[in-house]
């Protein structure tokens, strides 16, 4: 079925970053027998897998996994409509203007938060990025805070 790399549960629904299978949605009301409701292996695009998922309301933000030493990547995250769990639908992707390489074997995101219409994330050696996701088909960079060092933990409160 795939490699499960991340999960977010809301009520009886589990949203799973399912490796090569992409985003998978399960009914977990019977914990001993989860039922697959839907999946979207192509929710990110070609040659990627799903490593992280964050769900707000009926929208999932899916971060791809890239293999160590792979070519530079542009796709930062996909925005997926999960209002109908049996058929998740990609609404858009956010592409970085500058390609970047993986720093380590695992992920290039350290932290992800959704604050209002903003998707806020940090990447190793690349600072904090704020992306406006109010129009899911065309998310756009609001600002980037550069850093020469690795960013550590941070939190977002309110809209600032």
């Amino acid at each position: 079925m795939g490699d499960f790399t991340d999960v977010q549960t809301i009520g009886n629904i589990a949203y799973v970053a399912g490796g090569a299978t992409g985003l998978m949605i399960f009914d977990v009301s019977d914990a001993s027998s989860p039922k697959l409701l839907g999946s979207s292996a192509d929710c990110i695009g070609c040659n990627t897998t799903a490593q992280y998922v964050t769900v707000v309301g009926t929208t999932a933000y899916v971060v791809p996994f890239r293999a160590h030493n792979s070519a530079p990547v542009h796709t930062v995250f996909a925005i997926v409509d999960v209002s109908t769990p049996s058929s998740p639908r990609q609404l858009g992707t956010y592409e970085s203007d500058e390609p970047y390489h993986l720093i380590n074997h695992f992920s290039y995101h350290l932290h992800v938060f959704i604050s209002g219409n903003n998707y806020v994330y940090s990447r190793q050696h690349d600072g904090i990025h704020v992306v406006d996701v109010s129009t899911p088909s065309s998310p756009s960079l609001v600002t980037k805070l550069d850093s020469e060092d690795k960013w550590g933990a941070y939190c977002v409160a309110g809209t600032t």
Side-chain angles (χ1 to χ4, degrees), residues 42-105:
D42 62 347
C43 70
I44 296 178
C46 298
N47 204 17
T48 62
T49 60
Q51 183 165 5
Y52 294 112
V53 61
T54 301
V55 179
V56 178
T58 60
T59 305
Y61 301 87
V62 183
V63 177
F65 171 82
R66 299 290 181 149
H68 184 60
N69 295 327
S70 66
V73 295
H74 290 272
T75 301
V76 178
F77 61 88
I79 303 171
V80 180
D81 177 353
V82 293
S83 60
T84 305
S86 61
S87 58
R89 182 174 57 93
Q90 181 175 303
L91 300 174
T93 59
Y94 175 68
E95 307 284 328
S96 173
D97 288 339
E98 301 173 2
Y100 50 92
H101 296 271
L102 282 177
I103 303 302
N104 59 43
H105 180 72

Side-chain angles (χ1 to χ4, degrees), residues 117-158:
N117 288 324
N118 293 319
Y119 179 100
V120 182
Y121 69 97
S122 66
R123 283 195 309 227
Q124 289 179 320
H125 304 291
D126 198 22
I128 295 174
H129 301 247
V130 179
V131 179
D132 180 350
V133 293
S134 60
T135 305
S137 60
S138 59
S140 60
L141 182 67
V142 174
T143 192
K144 175 183 169 188
L145 304 171
D146 289 317
S147 171
E148 293 179 16
D149 298 320
K150 293 181 183 178
W151 284 92
Y154 62 91
C155 67
V156 176

